[in-house]
Structures are given as C-alpha cells and as structure tokens.
Amino acid sequence: MPATHLVDQAENQLRAWLESSAFSPGTRLPSERALATRFGLHHYAMNRAMGRMVAGGEIARDGYKLTFIGKSKAARVFNCHLIVSRNSVHTPGYRRVAKKMGIGLTLHPWLTVKESLHILDTLDVGETDGVVFEPAHVLSHPVWEKTVARMDRRGVPVICLGQPVPGRFSVLPDNAQALQLAVSHLMDLGHREIGLVTAPPDFPAPTEIIQAWADICRKHALTASADRIHLQSSLRFKDDAAETARVVAAGWSDATALIVSATIDPCNLPLLADQLARHGRRVPDDLSLLLAGTPRTAQSAASRVSSTGFDMALMQELAFYLARRAVREKQPSGVLPPASCLRVQCQMSVRDSTQPPASLRTSAAAPVRSVQASPARPRPSAASSAEERRIEASLRATYPLAARASLAEHPRFSPLDLRPYVNRPLNFRRGWLGDLPLKQFPPGPREIHGVPFEILGGLSRAKFGAIVLQSAVNTVGNARPLPDRITIPIRSKVKAAYILHGCGYARFLQPFACYSFHGPKSLIASVPLVSLGRPPAGFSLKTIQPPTAVPNIQDWWADFPHMDFPSARMVPAKETNDAGLSDYICLYTLEWINPSPETRVSHLEITSNPDIATSLGVLAVTILEP
C-alpha cells in the first residue's frame, strides 16, 4: 500500500479514537509508538498522521509529550500559494493533497520561464502563509533566489519542489538513489555493460545524475559503462528516439542494458523500443530497458518497462508540511527556522523489459566499440531591458535591397496568393504549430523589414492563415494529412523573394525543410531551413565550420534565444497574458536573392522532413521583380 494511504488510514483511526474517547482539552495522550501498537499501524504512518494534527492545532507536541487541544482551538486554515507550470500533470495531485491536509490552495499557473519569475516576484506575501514553487527545469536557482530571500525576510517560506537549492526549503527526488537502485537491479541480473541516456548537464537534476553515474560506475568497477552517456533532452518524438537508437546500435553494441533517466520530459518508451528494434536491438531479448527516476504517476505510460518511481503525492505532502512547520516554528521569534531539505527515495517496479543478458543465455559475444557523448544544450537566459530594445530594433530594420526598392517610384513587390494552400488557422488552439494560438498577427497587410506581406486568416476556425508542413509532431490539418511538399506557381522574373515564417520544436542545427526555386527547365537554387534550437554555451555563428549548416530560423517560443541570421531576421511580437505580463515570441523573415534575375521563375517548392519533430509554418511570401 502506498505511504500516503497508510498515513490517511492512521489519521482516520486517530480522529475516530479521539472523538469516541471524548478527551477534554489538556489531556495527556499516549506516545506515538503506543498508539501505533494499539491500532496495529507502522510507527512511520502514525508519526506522519500525528504531524498533520499537530500542524492543524488539534494536538500539541512537546518532545515526546502529546497533549489533546481539541477542535475548538484548532488553527485557522493554512493558506498556501502554488506556482506550477500550466502544463504540469501534477496539478490535480496538488489539489487532492491540499484538500486532505485542510490547506487553502491558490493556484498560479505559468507558461514561460519569465512568467514564473514574474509571479514569484509580484506575489502578495500578505495573503499567504507559504509558497510551493515548482520551477522550470531550465531555470537555475540563482535567477530567483533573491526573490525567495526577500520572502524569507518577511516570514513567508518558499518550498522548492524538484530542484536542488542550497540553503533553501526544498523537497527533492533522490536521483542518485534511483540510479543506484536501477544499476543494482541490472547487476543482480548479470548485466555488466550498461548505457545511460539522460538530459544535458545544463540544469541541476541532470548534472546530479551524471555525477552519480560516474560515482556508481567507479564503485562497481563498470569502467566501460562510465563512458556510455548519451545526452538527450527528451524522448518524446521520433527523431529523438531514432538518434538514441543509432547511438546504442552503432556505438554501444556491447551494451546489454540501457537506463533512461527521465528527470525532465516524459519518455515515449514504446517509440524508443520500436526504433531500437529497427536497428536490431530488441527489448528485452537483445537489450534490457529500464526507466530511472520518473514520478510514479508517469509509469502508466510505460506499463511494460521496469522503472524506479517516486511517490509524487508524498513529495507534495512533504512540501505542504514543510511550509506549515516553518510557519509554526517562526511564531515565538517571528523568524523562519533554518531551511530543511527532504530527499524522497524511490521504489523499484520490475516488469518484463529487464532480464539476464544474452551472454548468460547464449555464447554469443558482441564486439566492443565506443562513442562520444552528444553535445550539451544550455538553458536560455532571461532577456534584459537592453535585449528587449535590441529585439524591438530588429523589427524596424530593413533588408538593404528591399529598402532600395521601396525608394523607386513604382516598387515591384508582389505578394503571392497563398489562399489555395493554407491549411491551419492562426488564432485557435491546435491551429498554429502546436497547442497555442498565434494571436499576435492579425490578418491584413503588414510591412516587415521593409517588405509588404499579406497575412491571411480571420476570427473563424475555417479561415486559415498558415501553411503548416508535415512533421513528426504536426501531422493533420482540417482533418486531413498535412503535406510534406507544396508547389506554389510564380511565373515571373524574380530579383528577390521574402518569406514570413516560423518554426516549432526546434533542434540544434537541424535541417528540417527546404525552399526550392525552379526555372522553366531546371532548378535555380535551394535554400535549406536550419533551426538554431538550444545552442551550447559560448555558441557563435562565427564558430560554425563547413560542412555544418548555418542556422537561419529559430523556434517561435519566447524561452529560446533569438537573433538575426545571415539573410534572415527575427520578427518579434509582444504577447501580454491575463496578468499583464509581456513577453516576446518571434517569427522570422528570410531573404533569397536570385543569382539569375533575368531567368523566369516558374514556381516555388516547399518541402519538409516528416520524420523529425521540427515543424514549419509559412504565413506569407512576397517577391520583388527586377
């Protein structure tokens, strides 16, 4: 039975006993161990249940001495503010746990990193007893530690859940113990050649995982396994799983087991198993697969995969408990007590994805190879006021060729008619590239970077405004499969072409689509689209060496780093949410200058790679005639 159920059972029995006994206030109660023996419960469960009633003011504790106070003097409702991602799967659990503990919960959902910081910084501390903060995994604690320190000085404890924070109240999963438990399970089966897939060490949790892996491999003399680390931000999409499968198949052919450390994103383990099978590594016949460090609530998505899991309800309960305890302890002096950090250990769930290695069942042995870890991808930093001014200045900048053309008496700009090809609306959920609408671009004419564009769409779902090409994430539009190839006729001479577009689910330096300009008889030029994604620390466009493709577009979401590229400029649009907080999303324009302007261009062909996650959305195309 889960620990939270045992505590609930103990609390119910304790309350029933107190009510039936009709104790008067001030009555001395038996010790926790005596009560646990009386009710046939674990002392742990009785201790936690008693802690709830002490926090609620119904029982007083003085060392081991317990005194009945009674409901008449029970403390007022403890008010707690919860700052959590709008997309968190754990929000319903927070509500359930708060209700069980009698806590008044105020929810503050955030969508971007900047929004989460704004909520924490502007929280009215006069209306709350405590705060539970689940920060973005790309947000390091120095960014928000000053705000937490300010709230501490005002006597409001902030409990961080899920991220190590030195010197602050926090509830953390014991990732090192989860990894140790996974390795021990595999070694008990006879595995000695193991690989690890984890996130890049740009954030606290994966950094902790990588260090623990080195220590565990050294402790168990797993010398070869210590170097088998593949850095992958997620395993949600086909190209993620395919890249991991290629590393395992080509470089880790001697590995008999694979541990996936799911500290950040949910893992599509069935997809990973399918990609491994395509490369000749079948789970579990050729390769044991184990998921380490995932919340227990996510295990249902991998029902056939062995895993180590944390009790998320327990972690949530501990966070609320820490907040109430800190407030209770500050009452004599008005100063919060020293911060506490609680580590929650995990439990192993063994399923049929792990079994003894083939070497113990057959005499076949695999050749030994090695592979280098994938490059790390850093977190984006918060934009300063200077950066905001830079972003806004980019929108006012013009392409030199377009600026010269606009000075002519009759500039020859001609927007292409995209109405026959648009397949998704802009202003509705599940319309634009992902789950969020693109409300910052109303339909109509608009001049951007010195070029006139015609934005299509409208206020109806039926009025489409974007051409979205097929990818591993975006597959359907208007109940029909999205195309991976579109041909748009031009039939005129072209001096230059300008495209207003955006991308989503961007990966670092990933070619994902292409614009091809065709003449009457042959191809004139092709412009591959390469996303920037999350570049490594110290990245500069000047450091790119052939044959690496130069990026010319970036993910439209505000949490990605944005910049101008050669022949491509960002188009920032300010978004203001319901709380009045503004942030920038960015589309991009691309300039293609025709090397043969006297050659008639018959058509523009747009193609995408449907097997990768990075997605393309085109809003407008304008050509400049000679």
Side-chain angles (χ1 to χ4, degrees):
M1 179 180 293
T4 51
H5 293 177
L6 294 175
V7 176
D8 292 340
Q9 178 185 343
E11 183 180 6
N12 293 336
Q13 290 186 243
L14 183 58
R15 288 185 183 279
W17 175 69
L18 290 173
E19 291 176 3
S20 63
S21 301
F23 293 121
S24 59
T27 302
R28 173 78 180 271
L29 301 178
S31 68
E32 288 179 355
R33 292 193 179 276
L35 290 173
T37 302
R38 177 194 292 257
F39 299 137
L41 297 169
H42 292 289
H43 176 248
Y44 165 82
M46 179 57 65
N47 175 262
R48 296 294 306 284
M50 190 67 72
R52 292 181 182 180
M53 302 192 72
V54 169
E58 300 172 67
I59 295 176
R61 188 202 304 269
D62 183 10
Y64 292 100
K65 180 181 178 181
L66 300 172
T67 305
F68 179 69
I69 301 298
K71 292 185 177 181
S72 60
K73 296 186 179 180
R76 65 178 178 84
V77 173
F78 185 89
N79 294 310
C80 187
H81 286 233
L82 172 64
I83 305 175
V84 66
S85 170
R86 188 182 304 177
N87 299 320
S88 175
V89 298
H90 304 306
T91 302
Y94 279 111
R95 289 197 177 102
R96 287 192 297 269
V97 172
K99 184 177 180 180
K100 285 183 178 180
M101 298 180 68
I103 290 175
L105 192 64
T106 302
L107 183 64
H108 299 276
W110 54 263
L111 195 58
T112 66
V113 168
K114 184 176 180 180
E115 188 176 1
S116 69
L117 292 174
H118 174 78
I119 293 171
L120 184 63
D121 194 52
T122 59
L123 196 64
D124 186 353
V125 297
E127 297 182 354
T128 181
D129 296 311
V131 177
V132 174
F133 181 38
E134 192 174 308
H137 64 267
V138 298
L139 187 63
S140 61
H141 65 84
V143 178
W144 47 270
E145 198 164 13
K146 290 183 179 179
T147 301
V148 174
R150 175 178 61 83
M151 300 186 76
D152 281 352
R153 288 193 295 270
R154 295 190 182 185
V156 178
V158 178
I159 315 301
C160 176
L161 196 144
Q163 187 180 115
V165 188
R168 298 297 173 195
F169 292 102
S170 53
V171 178
L172 309 173
D174 194 337
N175 292 314
Q177 182 257 348
L179 195 59
Q180 174 63 67
L181 192 60
V183 172
S184 297
H185 171 68
L186 292 173
M187 292 187 68
D188 289 344
L189 294 175
H191 293 277
R192 293 298 183 270
E193 303 293 339
I194 308 170
L196 173 68
V197 178
T198 187
D202 304 320
F203 322 117
T207 300
E208 185 179 37
I209 288 291
I210 293 174
Q211 180 58 53
W213 179 253
D215 294 340
I216 292 170
C217 290
R218 182 167 55 252
K219 174 183 176 182
H220 296 288
L222 301 175
T223 306
S225 298
D227 296 327
R228 294 195 195 98
I229 302 180
H230 176 59
L231 303 181
Q232 182 69 269
S233 294
S234 73
L235 286 172
R236 292 182 294 174
F237 306 121
K238 185 176 180 179
D239 47 335
D240 296 326
E243 178 187 353
T244 301
R246 283 194 296 270
V247 169
V248 174
W252 299 353
S253 57
D254 53 337
T256 60
L258 181 66
I259 297 176
V260 177
S261 178
T263 56
I264 294 181
D265 285 332
C267 296
N268 191 336
L269 292 180
L271 180 60
L272 175 61
D274 177 69
Q275 290 297 316
L276 288 168
R278 290 173 181 267
H279 287 79
R281 303 301 302 272
R282 297 185 304 274
V283 176
D285 298 334
D286 303 313
L287 185 74
S288 287
L289 180 62
L290 193 148
L291 184 64
T294 182
R296 186 174 296 171
T297 53
Q299 290 185 359
S300 59
S303 58
R304 298 183 56 211
V305 176
S306 297
S307 60
T308 59
F310 298 101
D311 191 334
M312 191 62 188
L314 176 60
M315 294 179 64
Q316 294 165 347
E317 185 178 345
L318 288 173
F320 290 134
Y321 171 77
L322 268 185
R324 285 205 301 200
R325 180 180 181 274
V327 171
R328 186 174 65 250
E329 292 294 324
K330 80 165 186 177
Q331 290 176 356
S333 62
V335 179
L336 288 174
S340 302
C341 177
L342 302 180
R343 288 274 186 175
V344 177
Q345 293 193 337
C346 66
Q347 297 177 341
M348 171 70 72
S349 297
V350 179
R351 302 183 179 91
D352 59 1
S353 68
T354 53
Q355 63 180 16
S359 59
L360 298 184
R361 304 191 303 270
T362 66
S363 58
V368 178
R369 301 179 186 177
S370 61
V371 66
Q372 294 181 347
S374 300
R377 302 167 184 159
R379 59 181 180 273
S381 59
S384 63
S385 298
E387 186 175 1
E388 290 182 357
R389 291 194 295 270
R390 176 186 67 85
I391 290 176
E392 292 178 346
S394 176
L395 186 59
R396 296 189 295 270
T398 61
Y399 288 104
L401 184 59
R404 292 195 297 270
S406 63
L407 297 177
E409 184 177 357
H410 300 290
R412 302 178 63 83
F413 287 111
S414 300
L416 296 185
D417 184 7
L418 301 185
R419 286 175 295 181
Y421 313 100
V422 290
N423 50 24
R424 276 193 174 180
L426 296 179
N427 297 317
F428 295 90
R429 291 175 64 84
R430 304 307 304 167
W432 177 237
L433 293 178
D435 191 41
L436 298 173
L438 184 66
K439 296 181 178 179
Q440 299 84 353
F441 284 84
R446 183 168 180 173
E447 182 174 310
I448 303 173
H449 298 151
V451 180
F453 289 103
E454 184 69 27
I455 310 297
L456 302 177
L459 300 179
S460 168
R461 290 181 184 273
K463 293 184 178 180
F464 298 154
I467 303 173
V468 177
L469 277 293
Q470 187 179 152
S471 70
V473 177
N474 289 283
T475 58
V476 178
N478 195 25
R480 297 178 181 177
L482 292 174
D484 59 5
R485 184 182 302 270
I486 287 180
T487 300
I488 303 173
I490 297 180
R491 303 190 185 97
S492 66
K493 293 182 179 180
V494 175
K495 188 172 185 178
Y498 298 90
I499 302 174
L500 174 63
H501 56 188
C503 77
Y505 307 97
R507 303 305 165 88
F508 178 55
L509 297 185
Q510 182 177 71
F512 66 97
C514 185
Y515 297 128
S516 299
F517 295 89
H518 293 263
K521 296 182 179 179
S522 62
L523 174 69
I524 298 176
S526 292
V527 182
L529 293 183
V530 181
S531 59
L532 175 60
R534 299 198 187 279
F539 169 80
S540 171
L541 295 177
K542 297 179 181 180
T543 63
I544 297 179
Q545 299 294 330
T548 303
V550 177
N552 51 13
I553 195 171
Q554 174 62 307
D555 195 296
W556 73 295
W557 196 235
D559 285 347
F560 283 75
H562 291 279
M563 65 182 69
D564 289 334
F565 303 104
S567 301
R569 298 182 185 273
M570 56 183 174
V571 185
K574 184 174 288 189
E575 177 187 32
T576 303
N577 62 13
D578 297 336
L581 178 66
S582 296
D583 211 340
Y584 286 97
I585 61 95
C586 279
L587 298 183
Y588 280 78
T589 59
L590 181 142
E591 179 187 57
W592 171 72
I593 299 177
N594 190 356
S596 305
E598 296 303 319
T599 301
R600 189 180 181 87
V601 177
S602 62
H603 64 275
L604 164 65
E605 186 177 72
I606 309 176
T607 56
S608 68
N609 186 341
D611 295 327
I612 62 178
T614 308
S615 306
L616 173 66
V618 180
L619 277 72
V621 180
T622 297
I623 63 171
L624 174 63
E625 299 177 4

